[in-house]
Amino acid sequence: MANQMIILAINAGSSSVKVSVYKSEDASKPPVQLAEAQISGLTAPPATLDYKRASKTICKGQEVEGVDSQESAFEAILDHLTGDHDLQDISDRDSITHACHRVVHGGDAPTAHVIDPATYHRLEELMDLAPLHNAGALSIVKECQKALPKATNVAYYDSSFHQTMAAATRTYLIDPKIAQRNGLRKYGFHGISYAFITRTVAEYLKKDPEDTTIIALHLGSGASACAIKNGKSLDTSMGLTPLEGLPGATRSGSAEDILNKKSGWKALTGTTDFGHISSSDTPECQLAFAIFVDRILGFVGSYYVKLEGHVDALVFAGGIGEKGASLRTAIVAKCRCLGFELDEKKNGALAADVVQDIGREGARHRTLVCRTDEQFEMARSCARGKQMARVRDRGPKL
């Protein structure tokens, strides 16, 4: 079909590459997911492939030979997609019209950008601010331009959502000239996730996003909190880089290279598996759990005050936020004084819904779990043709 778009939503991590495939034939309707492929274990061979066509699992943990980098992983995924004869919408690589790339740090960019040489160069300049993610994303962009010459590449930035923060929130108390020259300010991240959370929670509450005010917690191996007022970011826990704010699997929640890769709860417990940490009775795991709860509560309390108590819901998202019933219990118990209360039965038995209410009936505020989907959020925006611009050679500094 002339208006059909086949969209790849690509998320390149430090040790994995995930590609979701969507089809869009009508910009007014959500794109349909056709397939999803992920290759993991790039830093701990052998690399393995997980592959789904629609909702059917085709393979899981299948070893793939000769894959040891983001580029080779992406090539292997492309070969797998085009070689799947049951995936009829992708007969060859030229069937792919768009490739959406999750780029963690986009500087001051308020919108997604079509990736041209100027965009690519500007993102290279930001590489040091998000070393765990931007480097991998840019290597995939370069590979994509070679492997899919007819596709339009678009960068979606995790930092864009937070461009609405006020100057008093985003400004560091350092020499203003040095800050402006070097782009030293609070940016915030997980923005693609927060955009999805805001929109889907608003739909669930039967409100317009512009009338929706929430405290959202994206809790995974990288974790952050965000105060969202009337659909826009008011404040967030991450700062100049993703290192600032909440601790994560290998991040301490404060600043340098050792604090990016050799800190967090792994340094304390020896594992990045928060499921194990939350169920363990060892002193180290109990301390890591308590630290995480303590830091999260600090942001929830601060944001509740900043929002003057006008909050529609406290929203848990991200892998840990969605799966960590005991973590949700510990956090909400301490937030009872603010009007958040759990229904323990709902909290312990989540359904498959995108948004679920786990709060006690009659509580002052709602407590929700949202199954965030950054891949879908990029594909949806791309299909609607929204918020895509080109970086000019001499435009506003990213």
Side-chain angles (χ1 to χ4, degrees):
M1 293 179 64
N3 295 326
Q4 178 172 290
M5 298 170 66
I6 299 296
I7 303 166
L8 303 186
I10 305 166
N11 192 343
S14 56
S15 63
S16 65
V17 174
K18 180 179 180 180
V19 178
S20 300
V21 186
Y22 296 87
K23 177 171 72 172
S24 174
E25 296 175 335
D26 183 343
S28 66
K29 297 178 180 178
V32 176
Q33 183 166 331
L34 303 176
E36 182 174 281
Q38 177 166 325
I39 290 183
S40 307
L42 298 181
T43 56
T48 58
L49 170 70
D50 294 344
Y51 181 58
K52 289 182 180 179
R53 188 190 315 113
S55 58
K56 182 180 179 182
T57 298
I58 307 302
C59 69
K60 188 172 181 65
Q62 177 180 306
E63 290 191 16
V64 284
E65 296 181 359
V67 172
D68 56 4
S69 66
Q70 279 94 354
E71 296 92 335
S72 57
F74 181 67
E75 273 291 331
I77 288 173
L78 280 183
D79 287 342
H80 198 85
L81 293 172
T82 55
D84 183 352
H85 300 300
D86 291 317
L87 191 62
Q88 297 177 0
D89 288 290
I90 302 183
S91 55
D92 54 37
R93 294 187 178 193
D94 288 345
S95 303
I96 299 165
T97 61
H98 292 76
C100 302
H101 302 264
R102 179 193 172 207
V103 179
V104 169
H105 211 312
D108 289 338
T111 64
H113 283 129
V114 173
I115 302 175
D116 56 16
T119 306
Y120 191 90
H121 174 66
R122 302 288 281 278
L123 292 176
E124 281 184 314
E125 294 176 341
L126 291 163
M127 191 116 45
D128 288 344
L129 296 181
L132 295 183
H133 292 282
N134 268 29
L138 290 182
S139 69
I140 294 291
V141 169
K142 187 175 286 188
E143 185 64 30
C144 218
Q145 289 171 333
K146 290 191 298 183
L148 304 172
K150 293 187 178 182
T152 300
N153 286 274
V154 186
Y156 286 86
Y157 307 119
D158 266 325
S159 49
S160 291
F161 183 77
H162 304 291
Q163 297 305 311
T164 53
M165 291 188 297
T169 302
R170 67 175 186 260
T171 301
Y172 292 129
L173 290 176
I174 56 177
D175 186 315
K177 292 180 180 178
I178 294 174
Q180 185 174 13
R181 184 167 62 248
N182 295 283
L184 303 178
R185 48 154 285 198
K186 185 179 207 175
Y187 290 99
F189 306 96
H190 288 141
I192 300 168
S193 174
Y194 287 128
F196 178 91
I197 292 166
T198 302
R199 182 175 53 77
T200 53
V201 166
E203 289 175 2
Y204 179 83
L205 297 175
K206 296 180 170 57
K207 302 182 74 168
D208 290 330
E210 294 77 15
D211 297 323
T212 301
T213 296
I214 59 177
I215 298 172
L217 304 172
H218 179 109
L219 308 177
S221 57
S224 68
C226 187
I228 299 169
K229 182 178 182 180
N230 297 330
K232 296 180 179 178
S233 177
L234 180 73
D235 196 359
T236 191
S237 57
M238 287 179 168
L240 173 67
T241 75
L243 184 58
E244 188 176 336
L246 292 173
T250 63
R251 295 176 184 146
S252 67
S254 336
E256 323 263 339
D257 182 50
I258 189 171
L259 301 183
N260 248 321
K261 299 178 181 179
K262 299 178 181 178
S263 298
W265 55 73
K266 182 181 180 180
L268 198 58
T269 67
T271 180
T272 60
D273 183 350
F274 198 80
H276 170 78
I277 291 169
S278 62
S279 62
S280 173
D281 59 2
T282 66
E284 296 82 6
C285 287
Q286 290 184 341
L287 177 59
F289 185 88
I291 288 171
F292 200 36
V293 170
D294 176 78
R295 303 302 190 267
I296 292 169
L297 290 173
F299 285 107
V300 172
S302 170
Y303 294 165
Y304 191 85
V305 172
K306 283 194 173 190
L307 294 168
E308 301 177 64
H310 301 301
V311 178
D312 293 313
L314 173 65
V315 185
F316 290 86
I320 294 171
E322 295 166 21
K323 299 173 184 175
S326 60
L327 180 68
R328 294 193 298 265
T329 296
I331 291 168
V332 178
K334 292 288 188 179
C335 295
R336 188 184 180 94
C337 61
L338 303 178
F340 300 101
E341 298 180 57
L342 275 188
D343 180 315
E344 285 297 348
K345 185 175 180 181
K346 292 179 183 177
N347 184 47
L350 296 184
D353 299 338
V354 176
V355 179
Q356 298 168 71
D357 193 328
I358 58 171
R360 186 183 69 80
E361 188 174 346
R364 192 188 320 160
H365 303 298
R366 309 285 280 272
T367 303
L368 307 175
V369 175
C370 178
R371 298 184 187 278
T372 191
D373 192 339
E374 294 155 315
Q375 311 285 101
F376 176 81
E377 190 64 21
M378 290 190 289
R380 177 183 177 274
S381 181
C382 182
R384 292 165 69 90
K386 277 191 167 184
Q387 297 185 324
M388 275 193 257
R390 289 184 183 271
V391 171
R392 299 185 183 278
D393 291 325
R394 282 287 176 263
K397 184 177 179 181
L398 287 180

